Amino acid sequence: MDGDMAAAASQWATDSNSAVYIQLIGGETESSVLKALAGDLDREDDDDDDEDGADVIQFHPAFTYPIYGEHERVFGYKGLRLKLSYAAG
């Protein structure tokens, strides 16, 4: 019984380091930055240039324990993905 509950609970837990994406965007024009901000999270390139000249760097943080605790787990979500985008330009 306890094993079944633990297995069911683990489906609702996500490693916070892999769930969080940080995206840094820089560009020559405001429109290129806005277009890159509207880009798809599924683009998993570590370093990419948008066709309009925006520089996009996307990565997972090395650690998230200051936010999510020592175990770096987020509970209550399946397939959680958090995208933090920072833009300059």
Side-chain angles (χ1 to χ4, degrees):
M1 177 87 173
D2 287 336
D4 292 337
M5 289 179 63
S10 69
Q11 292 179 359
W12 291 92
T14 303
D15 175 58
S16 58
N17 292 337
S18 62
V20 175
Y21 292 84
I22 298 175
Q23 189 175 48
L24 306 175
I25 302 169
E28 295 293 321
T29 64
E30 182 179 348
S31 63
S32 67
V33 171
L34 291 174
K35 185 174 180 182
L37 275 171
D40 190 11
L41 178 62
D42 290 330
R43 184 174 62 190
E44 303 231 359
D45 306 38
D46 287 336
D47 190 13
D48 195 25
D49 289 333
D50 191 76
E51 59 270 2
D52 287 338
D55 295 321
V56 179
I57 300 170
Q58 181 171 292
F59 58 93
H60 295 281
F63 56 85
T64 55
Y65 69 85
I67 300 167
Y68 295 107
E70 184 177 309
H71 299 290
E72 296 181 327
R73 304 285 291 166
V74 180
F75 296 95
Y77 299 93
K78 287 184 179 181
L80 178 66
R81 296 176 81 174
L82 300 171
K83 179 180 168 183
L84 300 174
S85 297
Y86 298 94

